Every structure is written in structure tokens, then in C-alpha cells.
Amino acid sequence: GKQDYKKTRPMLRATRLKAEAKKTALGVKEIALVLAAILVFLLAFYAFFYLNVSSEVDLDLDPDEN
């Protein structure tokens, strides 16, 4: 803008680099989404094997034994 004529060239360059760094930086939302996706995947993986093993154990038990 019109106020930029008072700034020196290094100050303008620093301001531009700061704005570019802010655009490319990962935000808290992105990090939270990635962690949530990993957590959901691990829970689904665990639930699959838990249900698979628990159904096999139930099949091995004979209800007439007790």
C-alpha cells in the first residue's frame, strides 16, 4: 500500500517471507485431523482382531461342559 514507501527493502522482504511461511505452515487443525485419522484406523484394526479372536474363543467353548 501507500505506507510501504516508508519501509526499507529488507523490512519488506522479511514481511513477505513471514507471510509465505505462515501460508505453508501446518495448522493445528491439520495436525488434529491427521492424529484423529490415525487413531480411528488403529481402533478399527484393534476392533477387527478383537472381534475375530473373541468369536473364535466362543466357538471353542462347549456350553454343555458346565
Side-chain angles (χ1 to χ4, degrees):
K2 293 182 179 181
Q3 298 88 354
D4 286 345
Y5 72 91
K6 295 180 182 178
K7 295 181 180 178
T8 62
R9 189 172 294 252
M11 287 178 68
L12 292 172
R13 185 178 298 129
T15 304
R16 189 185 77 238
L17 290 174
K18 189 176 179 182
E20 288 177 4
K22 192 179 281 189
K23 286 181 185 177
T24 59
L26 285 177
V28 175
K29 289 181 183 179
E30 288 85 3
I31 294 171
L33 285 175
V34 169
L35 290 176
I38 292 171
L39 183 64
V40 167
F41 176 75
L42 289 176
L43 285 174
F45 189 74
Y46 175 77
F48 172 75
F49 282 108
Y50 177 77
L51 293 174
N52 196 10
V53 170
S54 65
S55 65
E56 288 178 7
V57 170
D58 289 343
L59 292 175
D60 292 340
L61 295 177
D62 188 9
D64 294 335
E65 288 179 358
N66 292 337

